[in-house]
Amino acid sequence: MKIVVKKKLWKYLFWLGPFLIAVGLTVGLVSEQWGLITLAFLITGIVISGLGIIWQSYQSSWWKRRSTQAGTNALVATLAVLAILGLINFLGTRYHLRADLTESQLFTLAPQSRELVRVLPQPVKVWVFDINQNPQDRELLENYQRQSSKFQFEYIDPQARPGLAEKFGVKDYGEVYLESGDKRQLVQTVNQNERLSEIRLTSRLQQLTSSTTAKAYLLQGHGERQLSAGKGAISQAVQGLGDKNFTTSPLNLGETAKVPQDASVVIVAGPKRGLFEGEVKALQEYLNRGGNLLLMIDPNTDPKVDSLLQEWGVRLDNRLAVDISGESVVGLGPAAPLVTEYGEHPITKDFGNGNSFYPIARPLEITSVPGVEATPLLRTKPYPSSWAESDLQTEKLEFNEGKDLKGPLTLGVALSRKQSPKSASTPQPTPTPSPLPSPTTQSKASPTPPASPAPTPSPTPSSQTATESRLVVLGNSDFATDGLFQQQLNGDVFLNSVTWLSQQDQQPLSIRPKEPKNRRITLTTTQGNLLILSSLLLLPLIGFAIALIIWWKRR
């Protein structure tokens, strides 16, 4: 009688285990909190169920049966598969592993975008005021969000939340805003014809999170490129500098006779007339006190900056760069060299084998100068694809031995020069010997121009802190003009050069996201008809004939 009672007791206790497990799972799933009470139910139920199974197998030798062992093996295998699938799903939700198999990496952010988002100093949120969520735009925003938890985005219906729309000043559907702290900025307005742009979003993100602005001065007064929109202007380049948080202003050294103290970089874009000697000296003094200069000099011009370039080991070649390899690709003729080879430098480090072209360019000759580090940026293809043509009047371009220069040609170079401790320290002891430097610099400057960099004629606060001067020389300015600026990597060469020159190392350099390549096949009418006949008639007949032959052989 006692044995029967014990068996019934264990039977009831065995069913209590699954009941407690079900209670624990229900509590945890409903409350979404796996606290102490939930875990107590689960653990108690598992222990009771396990003891019940052990007791049952002991009483009836259940575990020794072949059917029990086979069933147990199947159960263990099933649980193992479920556990593996659960682990894969857990890892998949927590860690994102994506592979972009497109040739031009269409669904991958540019390296500069990823770098900028990963080092965000504070949380940033993108507000998209639109009813419809375009899959392409959402995919781009999710790519940003994967880089950092500080980047968030949200779609808002302006009519459903009018207060928030009024806060941002929303006027139409599709407006996209960036918000960081108390700062807000309009990115763009998206619609069916214009999707969210990575270029604009990264540029606005950089502006919003950057606490400093750099001042870029563009030299005027010698026939340089026009800054406002017009034929041969560089208004798009100026707008690009604004997008990268630069403040731009024109500079006429004939009026000021000195580069302003707040200049992060001075840009000389395609002067057609020569600079005055005093203007060249002003640029030399600016470089000597740690300044940064971008020279874009076209052929058939003489800006009178040879004395400045000589100090850096650069000479402007008066010949014309010719490249016959890219004539059919670029469509601008052999006088527009196509460059796909770039130097190992921060300006061009992410260019790979991308294209940039320079209509009517002149080569540069680089010689070694002590204390100056020079890196060629742009190189044409080797001869016979390119050479420097000396006869600019001929209609038939051909290489002439002894007169022309064989390629590869250098069309751009980046140079840096460390400031000596002596020049950096001379402004400090000004209280007593201040009358002496002025006359000595004047007397030495006129007879021997190359010696002028040694004494610093105007001690300024910037000269005390600057440790390096930077210079970029390009043998062309057409590549940065409106229309050509947005082609291929042309705009990136300009923007990256200015960014590197400004010595703002915390700012990412520019490179445009890759665009899909045109893989369309253009067929004539005859080719199209042939393709239709072969796919609808010829191929089915071939398949039918093969099937008939196989049937006949088996018969």
Side-chain angles (χ1 to χ4, degrees):
M1 187 68 180
K2 292 182 178 180
I3 296 175
V4 175
V5 173
K6 287 183 178 180
K7 287 184 177 181
K8 290 184 178 180
L9 179 62
W10 278 108
K11 184 178 180 180
Y12 292 137
L13 287 175
F14 174 77
W15 286 109
L16 181 61
F19 173 75
L20 293 177
I21 293 175
V23 171
L25 290 175
T26 304
V27 172
L29 293 174
V30 172
S31 64
E32 296 183 354
Q33 294 181 358
W34 302 88
L36 183 60
I37 297 177
T38 305
L39 293 177
F41 277 115
L42 290 174
I43 294 173
T44 304
I46 293 172
V47 170
I48 293 176
S49 299
L51 292 175
I53 293 173
I54 294 173
W55 181 84
Q56 184 70 24
S57 63
Y58 175 77
Q59 290 292 327
S60 60
S61 299
W62 173 71
W63 185 256
K64 295 180 180 181
R65 297 176 185 174
R66 181 177 296 180
S67 60
T68 303
Q69 294 177 356
T72 303
N73 291 334
L75 178 61
V76 171
T78 304
L79 293 176
V81 171
L82 293 176
I84 293 173
L85 292 176
L87 181 61
I88 292 175
N89 279 275
F90 170 76
L91 295 176
T93 56
R94 188 162 186 175
Y95 304 99
H96 296 280
L97 179 61
R98 293 163 50 87
D100 189 352
L101 301 181
T102 58
E103 180 182 2
S104 54
Q105 299 294 292
L106 292 176
F107 304 102
T108 303
L109 293 179
Q112 288 70 22
S113 299
R114 297 198 301 268
E115 177 186 352
L116 181 63
V117 177
R118 287 172 183 172
V119 297
L120 284 174
Q122 55 188 357
V124 173
K125 188 167 185 178
V126 176
W127 300 88
V128 184
F129 291 90
D130 201 352
I131 300 176
N132 302 317
Q133 299 187 20
N134 183 271
Q136 181 180 341
D137 295 347
R138 189 175 182 88
E139 175 71 18
L140 177 62
L141 292 172
E142 289 176 350
N143 282 342
Y144 276 92
Q145 192 176 44
R146 292 187 186 100
Q147 309 303 320
S148 173
S149 59
K150 294 182 179 180
F151 186 95
Q152 301 293 328
F153 70 92
E154 184 176 351
Y155 279 83
I156 298 296
D157 182 358
Q159 293 185 351
R161 300 181 64 179
L164 186 61
E166 184 179 358
K167 173 184 176 182
F168 281 87
V170 177
K171 299 179 181 178
D172 196 4
Y173 284 100
E175 293 186 4
V176 182
Y177 284 86
L178 263 176
E179 183 180 32
S180 178
D182 57 349
K183 297 180 181 179
R184 302 182 189 90
Q185 190 173 29
L186 175 66
V187 178
Q188 67 178 105
T189 301
V190 296
N191 50 52
Q192 293 182 351
N193 299 322
E194 184 177 2
R195 303 268 41 98
L196 186 60
S197 167
E198 179 186 348
I199 301 173
R200 294 186 181 180
L201 185 55
T202 297
S203 297
R204 299 298 186 269
L205 187 62
Q206 181 178 343
Q207 291 182 18
L208 197 67
T209 57
S210 177
S211 58
T212 60
T213 57
K215 190 65 176 289
Y217 284 92
L218 294 100
L219 192 65
Q220 298 288 285
H222 316 90
E224 288 87 356
R225 297 289 179 178
Q226 182 179 325
L227 306 185
S228 56
K231 184 178 180 180
I234 56 171
S235 63
Q236 292 178 344
V238 174
Q239 179 62 41
L241 291 176
D243 291 340
K244 292 188 67 63
N245 222 24
F246 282 90
T247 303
T248 57
S249 296
L251 173 64
N252 193 327
L253 288 176
E255 298 175 352
T256 62
K258 187 177 180 181
V259 177
Q261 298 295 333
D262 61 347
S264 298
V265 58
V266 174
I267 303 171
V268 183
K272 295 181 174 60
R273 297 182 294 274
L275 278 66
F276 292 114
E277 183 179 354
E279 294 177 306
V280 177
K281 288 183 178 179
L283 293 177
Q284 288 176 322
E285 294 171 1
Y286 170 65
L287 288 172
N288 292 336
R289 67 173 192 253
N292 310 285
L293 181 63
L294 172 60
L295 293 176
M296 300 188 295
I297 310 299
D298 296 313
N300 294 324
T301 60
D302 184 12
K304 307 295 184 183
V305 293
D306 293 340
S307 59
L308 184 151
L309 293 176
Q310 184 180 2
E311 300 174 3
W312 293 78
V314 180
R315 189 183 73 84
L316 300 173
D317 197 311
N318 293 323
R319 288 169 286 197
L320 179 68
V322 174
D323 180 8
I324 60 176
S325 66
E327 182 176 359
S328 59
V329 178
V330 180
L332 297 177
L338 179 68
V339 172
T340 59
E341 181 181 345
Y342 305 94
E344 294 292 332
H345 193 272
I347 294 176
T348 55
K349 67 176 182 179
D350 293 314
F351 284 5
N353 295 324
N355 298 324
S356 61
F357 55 94
Y358 306 86
I360 315 298
R362 69 193 308 166
L364 306 176
E365 181 181 330
I366 314 300
T367 56
S368 178
V369 173
V372 176
E373 182 179 353
T375 304
L377 296 177
L378 313 170
R379 294 181 69 86
T380 64
K381 296 176 176 60
Y383 178 81
S385 295
S386 73
W387 69 88
E389 177 65 45
S390 57
D391 188 0
L392 305 183
Q393 305 299 325
T394 182
E395 296 182 359
K396 183 179 180 181
L397 293 174
E398 58 182 4
F399 180 79
N400 297 312
E401 192 71 39
K403 294 183 180 180
D404 300 338
L405 178 65
K406 292 183 178 180
L409 308 174
T410 299
L411 303 183
V413 61
L415 309 104
S416 60
R417 181 175 64 188
K418 297 291 184 181
Q419 296 299 103
S420 64
K422 182 178 179 181
S423 62
S425 59
T426 47
Q428 297 179 1
T430 51
T432 52
S434 56
L436 296 177
S438 178
T440 54
T441 51
Q442 292 179 1
S443 61
K444 290 184 179 181
S446 54
T448 55
S452 59
T456 51
S458 56
T460 63
S462 62
S463 63
Q464 298 177 15
T465 58
T467 59
E468 184 180 64
S469 299
R470 294 180 178 181
L471 172 67
V472 171
V473 184
L474 304 175
N476 176 259
S477 67
D478 282 314
F479 79 98
T481 56
D482 294 353
L484 298 182
F485 178 81
Q486 296 179 336
Q487 298 294 323
Q488 303 295 326
L489 293 174
N490 285 14
D492 301 300
V493 172
F494 176 83
L495 294 176
N496 284 6
S497 297
V498 177
T499 302
W500 178 76
L501 285 169
S502 65
Q503 303 193 32
Q504 297 185 88
D505 298 331
Q506 72 277 8
Q507 289 196 14
L509 298 176
S510 168
I511 186 170
R512 300 180 190 278
K514 302 173 181 63
E515 298 179 355
K517 291 189 176 182
N518 187 357
R519 297 297 185 188
R520 290 176 294 181
I521 300 177
T522 303
L523 301 177
T524 62
T525 304
T526 303
Q527 293 172 335
N529 293 334
L530 181 61
L531 182 62
I532 293 174
L533 289 176
S534 62
S535 59
L536 297 181
L537 182 63
L538 184 60
L539 291 179
L541 286 177
I542 292 175
F544 179 75
I546 293 174
L548 186 62
I549 292 172
I550 294 174
W551 172 81
W552 180 261
K553 286 185 176 181
R554 290 183 176 181
R555 178 177 176 274

